[in-house]
Amino acid sequence: SQTIHQWPATLVQPVGSPLSLECTVEGTSNPNLYWYRQAAGRGLQLLFYSVGIGQISSEVPQNLSASRPQDRQFILSSKKLLLSDSGFYLCALQGVGNTEAFFGQGTRLTVV
Amino acid sequence: DAKTTQPPSMDCAEGRAANLPCNHSTISGNEYVYWYRQIHSQGPQYIIHGLKNNETNEMASLIITEDRKSSTLILPHATLRDTAVYYCITDDDYKLSFGAGTTVTVRA
């Protein structure tokens, strides 16, 4: 079965510090991978999605970047965090074909 | 931007059916309709999806209109644990964009 690992669960980082969130998946090959952010009380905002290694589509211009160095690894990064980067970050995968998406447990990031 | 519109909120009595509408008037012929729900502080959970035929699983039923411009998610017997935000989305070339969803509150 498909599983998705996302860590850490919570993270507190100072303004201006770098960020690296990693997401790894199991049980599938060549999945579509997604990064979402959810601000408190708001909906899910699609940040990046990837349909293959090295292929990244950015949805919202911002202080973040994403990379997919391996088929089952998706990384969200920032060189310098802003207060506005605080939120709940979710990684998701969608397998080949019209299948459902699976979401990780999320990382709650607080920039202070 | 999300290609679907949903009412922002709705209440439902426990044990009754909950009917959640969704408009997707610009859907293309090969786009599926997906429904997810999100319980507070968790990642979204898949419920059901369909292309043009009605679908049913152990969680819910999905009714898609013949012109495919709208759909309805039916929770047959709502329980308190069904209180969540429900999202209706379409897959636009692999881009899964979520709108604001419908906040469903099931009341005893």
Side-chain angles (χ1 to χ4, degrees):
Chain A
S1 63
Q2 298 170 80
T3 55
I4 186 165
H5 303 281
Q6 190 182 344
W7 67 92
T10 59
L11 188 60
V12 180
Q13 292 283 107
V15 169
S17 65
L19 173 74
S20 180
L21 298 180
E22 185 168 342
C23 172
T24 59
V25 304
E26 295 178 356
T28 183
S29 295
N30 198 30
N32 297 329
L33 297 175
Y34 305 84
W35 276 111
Y36 293 87
R37 176 172 61 199
Q38 188 169 35
R42 307 292 294 275
L44 289 162
Q45 180 185 35
L46 178 62
L47 301 176
F48 302 95
Y49 68 100
S50 169
V51 299
I53 296 174
Q55 300 179 62
I56 308 294
S57 297
S58 174
E59 285 300 296
V60 182
Q62 60 211 318
N63 185 40
L64 302 169
S65 63
S67 62
R68 186 170 178 176
Q70 300 179 44
D71 183 43
R72 301 175 190 176
Q73 185 184 31
F74 203 26
I75 299 171
L76 182 70
S77 304
S78 173
K79 292 182 179 178
K80 288 186 178 182
L81 284 169
L82 307 172
L83 288 174
S84 58
D85 291 325
S86 294
F88 188 45
Y89 288 82
L90 286 157
C91 178
L93 77 88
Q94 184 184 40
V96 175
N98 297 101
T99 61
E100 67 267 31
F102 295 90
F103 285 78
Q105 290 304 300
T107 295
R108 192 162 302 282
L109 172 67
T110 304
V111 182
V112 296
Chain B
D1 291 339
K3 295 172 58 178
T4 62
T5 55
Q6 300 174 251
S9 64
M10 65 182 296
D11 286 359
C12 176
E14 188 178 21
R16 303 296 295 270
N19 296 321
L20 283 62
C22 178
N23 243 326
H24 30 80
S25 57
T26 61
I27 194 170
S28 63
N30 58 351
E31 283 186 70
Y32 280 70
V33 179
Y34 293 83
W35 283 83
Y36 293 82
R37 72 179 183 185
Q38 185 179 25
I39 297 171
H40 184 61
S41 298
Q42 297 181 22
Q45 173 193 23
Y46 166 81
I47 301 174
I48 198 167
H49 73 288
L51 183 62
K52 50 185 176 182
N53 296 322
N54 298 338
E55 303 287 344
T56 296
N57 63 20
E58 65 279 4
M59 291 182 68
S61 295
L62 174 61
I63 309 297
I64 302 174
T65 58
E66 194 169 340
D67 63 7
R68 301 205 333 116
K69 293 185 177 182
S70 65
S71 61
T72 300
L73 178 75
I74 301 173
L75 306 177
H77 305 286
T79 70
L80 298 178
R81 288 176 295 181
D82 291 324
T83 292
V85 179
Y86 288 76
Y87 298 98
C88 163
I89 69 171
T90 61
D91 56 342
D92 175 17
D93 289 332
Y94 311 114
K95 189 171 74 175
L96 302 179
S97 296
F98 287 71
T102 297
T103 299
V104 173
T105 303
V106 181
R107 302 191 186 281

